[in-house]
Amino acid sequence: MSTLAHTMMTAARSTDSGLAGPGELDRYPFAEGPAADRVGSSVWESAEPELGRVGRRGAGSRGRGLHGQLVQQLGQMIVSGDLGADRPLVPEEIGQRFEVSRTVVRESLRVLEAKGLVSARPNVGTRVRPVSDWNLLDPDIIEWRAFGPQRDSQRRELSELRWTIEPLAARLAAGHGREDVQQRLSDMVEIMGHAMGQGDALTYSRADAEFHSLLIQIAGNRMLEHLSGIVSSALQVSGNPVTGCDRPTEASLGHHGRIADALAAGDGAAAEAAMRQLLTVHPEVERVVPAPREH
């Protein structure tokens, strides 16, 4: 069973911003600044020093080992506000607190810089960037927000984006579907139905993720395809807090089946309508998106 891969979307960076580009951290001295301007010990005291226990998904898409786990820990601290905007990040302090080498710290800061969470400047060092600079479409940042203090806002925003992306993708996919892909979509619906009957939420979620990924891929719009990571992330952070998958229900399964049938028939309007009905099954969507009107 294949799963939907995360689509990494890097934020555009202005050439005259004065910020370091990815991989440029080694060119800059890590100035520590005045003692009063450094990250207080109380911030690090609340952090988990044993990186092997860090994170909801371990290293996740950031890779395995200390590097990936440090990215997870620092990313969560920044997104949660424990490390506020413009706070300096001193590699020596980070290394000592988490008992990792300077090389691991540098590599982790490079990853966070690529996500827009930190910046490195000559004679200033590495500092946390404001929320306005973050790449909010990055799957890791989506997850960190969804399981942190901003969970309600993040899940609402994801629901709104899905409402924008997926009905359009369903309509477009009706005109671009291949027979093998159509069969795969039907297979996913069948697997979801069997998994629901067995109470296997994990298998259901994997088939669900592949269903939505395939649908966006056959829409024939490459920009929409790049946004598939948002849908993948939304499916992972919605529903059951244990499995992270969409809640299996008869209504949800039925709507997936109707979408597949409409795509097979080449009926874009019906596919779009069925997708809108699917997206209103879940309470977090109903709170922010009105149900489609009956004409």
Side-chain angles (χ1 to χ4, degrees), residues 58-106:
S61 64
R62 296 160 295 284
R64 300 181 182 274
L66 294 178
H67 161 250
Q69 294 171 26
L70 184 58
V71 169
Q72 173 106 341
Q73 179 71 78
L74 293 177
Q76 289 174 331
M77 294 179 71
I78 292 171
V79 170
S80 69
D82 289 340
L83 296 175
D86 207 37
R87 296 299 295 270
L89 298 179
V90 183
E92 289 79 5
E93 291 182 353
I94 297 174
Q96 291 173 6
R97 177 57 192 167
F98 296 104
E99 299 180 357
V100 294
S101 69
R102 187 179 178 89
T103 298
V104 170
V105 175
R106 283 181 178 272

Side-chain angles (χ1 to χ4, degrees), residues 37-51:
D37 194 34
R38 296 169 62 181
V39 177
S41 59
S42 60
V43 173
W44 298 119
E45 286 172 359
S46 64
E48 173 59 72
E50 297 182 35
L51 292 180

Side-chain angles (χ1 to χ4, degrees), residues 216-282:
I216 292 176
Q217 288 173 21
I218 64 175
N221 185 308
R222 295 195 176 188
M223 295 187 72
L224 275 180
E225 187 172 342
H226 276 284
L227 296 177
S228 64
I230 297 173
V231 176
S232 174
S233 297
L235 289 171
Q236 290 183 18
V237 303
S238 65
N240 191 310
V242 176
T243 64
C245 70
D246 245 4
R247 291 179 293 280
T249 65
E250 289 288 350
S252 176
L253 182 64
H255 292 316
H256 280 88
R258 281 186 280 278
I259 293 170
D261 291 343
L263 294 178
D267 190 339
E272 179 180 6
M275 178 61 76
R276 291 187 185 279
Q277 291 170 346
L278 171 62
L279 293 178
T280 57
V281 165
H282 307 295

Side-chain angles (χ1 to χ4, degrees), residues 153-165:
S153 294
Q154 179 64 99
R155 296 186 187 198
R156 173 182 55 79
E157 290 167 4
L158 283 173
S159 296
E160 292 170 345
L161 280 175
R162 288 189 67 188
W163 183 265
T164 302
I165 294 169

Side-chain angles (χ1 to χ4, degrees), residues 1-236:
M1 176 69 61
S2 61
T3 58
L4 179 61
H6 282 311
T7 301
M8 294 294 289
M9 301 179 63
T10 55
R13 185 186 301 273
S14 172
T15 57
D16 60 352
S17 65
L19 301 179
E24 294 182 335
L25 285 167
D26 285 331
R27 296 199 295 108
Y28 298 144
F30 290 87
E32 296 187 357
D37 194 34
R38 296 169 62 181
V39 177
S41 59
S42 60
V43 173
W44 298 119
E45 286 172 359
S46 64
E48 173 59 72
E50 297 182 35
L51 292 180
R53 300 209 306 263
V54 168
R56 180 174 301 273
R57 288 183 298 142
S61 64
R62 296 160 295 284
R64 300 181 182 274
L66 294 178
H67 161 250
Q69 294 171 26
L70 184 58
V71 169
Q72 173 106 341
Q73 179 71 78
L74 293 177
Q76 289 174 331
M77 294 179 71
I78 292 171
V79 170
S80 69
D82 289 340
L83 296 175
D86 207 37
R87 296 299 295 270
L89 298 179
V90 183
E92 289 79 5
E93 291 182 353
I94 297 174
Q96 291 173 6
R97 177 57 192 167
F98 296 104
E99 299 180 357
V100 294
S101 69
R102 187 179 178 89
T103 298
V104 170
V105 175
R106 283 181 178 272
E107 290 299 321
S108 300
L109 291 177
R110 286 193 185 98
V111 174
L112 295 175
E113 184 189 22
K115 298 176 183 296
L117 294 178
V118 305
S119 64
R121 299 185 183 184
N123 303 318
V124 174
T126 303
R127 290 177 177 269
V128 176
R129 297 170 71 175
V131 177
S132 58
D133 291 340
W134 298 355
N135 178 10
L136 296 179
L137 299 183
D138 182 284
D140 287 330
I141 295 179
I142 289 175
E143 178 188 304
W144 295 333
R145 292 184 71 209
F147 291 104
Q150 304 168 19
R151 61 177 64 88
D152 291 339
S153 294
Q154 179 64 99
R155 296 186 187 198
R156 173 182 55 79
E157 290 167 4
L158 283 173
S159 296
E160 292 170 345
L161 280 175
R162 288 189 67 188
W163 183 265
T164 302
I165 294 169
E166 295 196 81
L168 173 60
R171 174 181 283 274
L172 295 176
H176 294 85
R178 303 192 313 268
E179 185 174 344
D180 59 330
V181 178
Q182 297 290 356
Q183 182 58 52
R184 188 63 178 163
L185 287 170
S186 297
D187 290 344
M188 291 303 101
V189 175
E190 183 176 351
I191 292 171
M192 290 165 66
H194 180 74
M196 187 172 65
Q198 297 294 317
D200 185 352
L202 181 58
T203 297
Y204 182 98
S205 71
R206 289 175 174 172
D208 188 22
E210 182 161 346
F211 180 95
H212 290 270
S213 176
L214 286 169
L215 187 148
I216 292 176
Q217 288 173 21
I218 64 175
N221 185 308
R222 295 195 176 188
M223 295 187 72
L224 275 180
E225 187 172 342
H226 276 284
L227 296 177
S228 64
I230 297 173
V231 176
S232 174
S233 297
L235 289 171
Q236 290 183 18

